[in-house]
Amino acid sequence: MAAALHTGERAALLLGGTATREPALSTAGRIAAATGARLLCETFPARLERGAGLPTVERLGYLAEGAMAQLDGIRHLVLVGARAPVSFFAHPTLPSELTPDNCRIHTLATTADDIPAALDEVADTLAVDTPAVLQTAARPALPTGELTAETAAAVVGALLPEGAIVVDEANTSGLWLPGATAGAPRHDWLTLTGGAIGQGLPLAAGAALACPERPVLCLEADGSAMYTISALWTHAREGLDITTVIFANGSYAILDMESQRLGTPTDGPAHRGLLALTRPGLDFVALARGMGVPASRATTAEDFTARLRRAFAEPGPHLVEVVVPALF
């Protein structure tokens, strides 16, 4: 691995498993700083430690086109607790394997190996006196006016508490969340690690039960939430310190996006009816209150700021329904 990273050719480290946590993440950051290698992690890491004071790691893009652009020109891809990247959905005009044809793939360590020890050995060879480049502390300004997925992300980034555990199943409404929270105080980021949506609300319950001293923020898409909405009752029954933000765009936007990318007709009544969360519409405030969780709805950026700030300040479960337009 040291030889591959020392050729002078463009290289990247792709992190997964325990490589996305300290101290392995810090060691990987030192190696990247010493060699000029790009520091990437899986699109959906099970648990990523991030925020101010930790190495900045770039998540591999969800869309095949984005991931291929990130890996373009890479001649050596070093896998550290990760697998060689493939596209999330098959696409008739795009490759399933996302690494360039002339890129050599090297496996430093799998999830069955001692990942921190493997990285230490490489760092002892290549980065003895090189510090990692660390994320500086920075927060977005609190937005005003229209509430969109982008302005909602800015509110989250501005108010995220130190030591928070963030459960991210925001899907299409979460595109701006990584950038808005990169410089926030240190936190853990838990993501959907497979294609079966609906893990967000129960995952938040598990995180809060495991770490009762830490605040949990669950960022949840409305369609995904409906698969496991009963988890809100557990939040209330156990008195868990979970703030749930429902991004209510009224549609299965991720499926709409994938349909458009495949070139299938998306303007017919059958397609629209299948992917719209209407007839009847969903009232997450009523659903949450009916299971014992205090809830409110935000329709402006100022609304969301006030309601999220209050939810963070009060112990126990809360839900804020954020009404945002669909992106697709």
Side-chain angles (χ1 to χ4, degrees):
M1 295 306 105
L5 292 169
H6 210 259
T7 61
E9 298 177 317
R10 291 186 62 191
L13 300 170
L14 181 61
L15 310 181
T18 57
T20 57
R21 309 176 200 174
E22 276 201 314
L25 180 59
S26 294
T27 308
R30 291 171 50 215
I31 295 168
T35 62
R38 196 165 186 173
L39 194 60
L40 302 169
C41 75
E42 295 172 311
T43 306
F44 297 112
R47 175 183 169 190
L48 173 61
E49 295 187 28
R50 62 194 300 268
L54 286 169
T56 302
V57 57
E58 183 182 352
R59 282 170 62 179
L60 198 64
Y62 164 78
L63 295 178
E65 301 93 323
M68 291 168 64
Q70 287 171 288
L71 297 172
D72 186 41
I74 298 296
R75 295 294 175 261
H76 298 276
L77 182 65
V78 178
L79 305 180
V80 190
R83 296 180 180 180
V86 296
S87 59
F88 197 79
F89 279 99
H91 194 287
T93 63
L94 294 170
S96 291
E97 296 180 351
L98 302 179
T99 48
D101 291 337
N102 56 354
C103 176
R104 293 186 59 191
I105 298 175
H106 312 268
T107 300
L108 173 63
T110 70
T111 53
D113 298 319
D114 188 337
I115 291 174
L119 285 166
D120 284 341
E121 288 189 37
V122 177
D124 288 345
T125 303
L126 293 178
V128 175
D129 298 316
T130 305
V133 177
L134 304 180
Q135 174 68 52
T136 57
R139 288 185 184 265
L142 282 168
T144 59
E146 185 182 6
L147 188 55
T148 64
E150 185 174 7
T151 58
V155 173
V156 171
L159 301 182
L160 188 67
E162 184 172 6
I165 300 172
V166 181
V167 175
D168 178 12
E169 198 176 37
N171 296 335
T172 58
S173 294
L175 295 179
W176 290 273
L177 286 167
T181 56
R186 286 183 56 166
H187 56 276
D188 284 2
W189 201 274
L190 313 184
T191 72
L192 179 72
T193 56
I197 57 178
Q199 80 163 20
L201 292 172
L203 179 60
L209 287 165
C211 302
E213 74 286 357
R214 298 177 63 181
V216 175
L217 174 63
C218 182
L219 303 170
E220 184 67 59
D222 50 0
S224 300
M226 287 302 294
Y227 287 94
T228 50
I229 195 69
S230 57
L232 290 175
W233 185 73
T234 303
H235 295 188
R237 182 180 175 88
E238 301 298 329
L240 302 177
D241 191 14
I242 300 171
T243 298
T244 299
V245 174
I246 300 288
F247 289 90
N249 61 20
S251 71
Y252 279 112
I254 188 69
L255 298 182
D256 207 358
M257 178 191 74
E258 293 294 350
S259 296
Q260 292 180 37
R261 294 179 68 241
L262 287 170
T264 57
T266 60
D267 56 352
H271 178 93
R272 291 197 303 270
L274 283 170
L275 299 187
L277 298 177
T278 56
R279 293 186 302 119
L282 296 170
D283 184 343
F284 283 95
V285 174
L287 287 166
R289 288 176 178 172
M291 285 182 273
V293 175
S296 60
R297 180 177 293 110
T299 57
T300 67
E302 292 91 340
D303 270 352
F304 184 35
T305 296
R307 298 178 194 282
L308 187 62
R309 184 175 274 139
R310 185 180 308 119
F312 283 149
E314 297 175 356
H318 294 79
L319 182 142
V320 181
E321 182 180 3
V322 174
V323 181
V324 296
L327 300 183
F328 301 95

